[in-house]
């Protein structure tokens, strides 16, 4: 989708700080980090949100979680703990309608989230 910011980033038409690129997923640093580590993991394919996932996406979803784990280890936040967030829709706080997982770590997280 050409009007989707993250599709543009995945295609390298909009610059971003890439952490890693895989066949079906990429990870970038959030432009407005909310923690010392704040990485966004997203599929290359345009999927609107986690709510749009179907059983056909099961393998992709698993690959996204594997990538989250790898990033947590590489960023050295896995041992102390970290947070994985998928905002869904406007009431969920989603502002970019291309599925992405926030990987947040490096500080103590609080609950409930805002
Ligand atoms: P969400 O609100 O869950 O949809 O998350 C969207 C995230 O994308 C926010 O945390 C933004 O800071 C981040 N963001 C927006 N534009 C960019 C960009 N050009 N590069 C990296 N991150 C971005
Ligand atoms: Zn997209």
């Amino acid at each position: 989708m050409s009007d989707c910011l993250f599709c543009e980033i995945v295609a390298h038409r909009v610059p971003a700080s890439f952490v890693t690129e895989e066949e079906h997923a990429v990870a970038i640093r959030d432009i407005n980090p909310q923690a010392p580590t704040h990485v966004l993991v997203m599929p290359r394919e345009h999927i609107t949100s986690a709510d749009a996932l179907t059983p056909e996406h099961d393998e992709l979803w698993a690959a996204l979680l594997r990538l989250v784990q790898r990033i947590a280890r590489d960023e050295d936040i896995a041992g102390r703990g970290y947070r994985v967030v998928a905002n869904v829709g406007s009431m969920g706080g989603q502002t970019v309608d291309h599925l992405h997982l926030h990987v947040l770590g490096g500080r103590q997280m609080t609950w409930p989230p805002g």
Side-chain angles (χ1 to χ4, degrees):
M1 276 179 66
S2 58
D3 60 345
C4 170
L5 172 63
F6 286 174
C7 279
E8 292 297 290
I9 286 175
V10 165
H12 288 267
R13 287 190 288 267
V14 168
S17 173
F18 279 81
V19 176
T20 189
E21 294 197 65
E22 292 189 343
E23 189 181 353
H24 298 295
V26 309
I28 63 169
R29 297 208 183 272
D30 198 292
I31 205 166
N32 182 23
Q34 301 301 310
T37 291
H38 189 170
V39 173
L40 303 174
V41 171
M42 66 190 73
R44 290 187 183 277
E45 177 187 347
H46 182 86
I47 299 167
T48 307
S49 76
D51 193 59
L53 290 166
T54 68
E56 276 142 48
H57 296 120
D58 283 358
E59 211 173 309
L60 176 63
W61 180 238
L64 292 174
L65 293 178
R66 287 273 103 76
L67 183 50
V68 166
Q69 292 175 328
R70 219 183 74 213
I71 286 162
R73 277 155 188 69
D74 290 350
E75 298 279 323
D76 204 23
I77 57 174
R80 288 168 295 159
Y82 58 99
R83 184 168 288 174
V84 184
V85 176
N87 296 324
V88 178
S90 62
M91 287 280 274
Q94 187 175 5
T95 58
V96 180
D97 290 337
H98 179 127
L99 172 63
H100 52 282
L101 293 170
H102 297 257
V103 183
L104 296 144
R107 68 166 169 84
Q108 181 62 53
M109 296 296 154
T110 59
W111 196 264

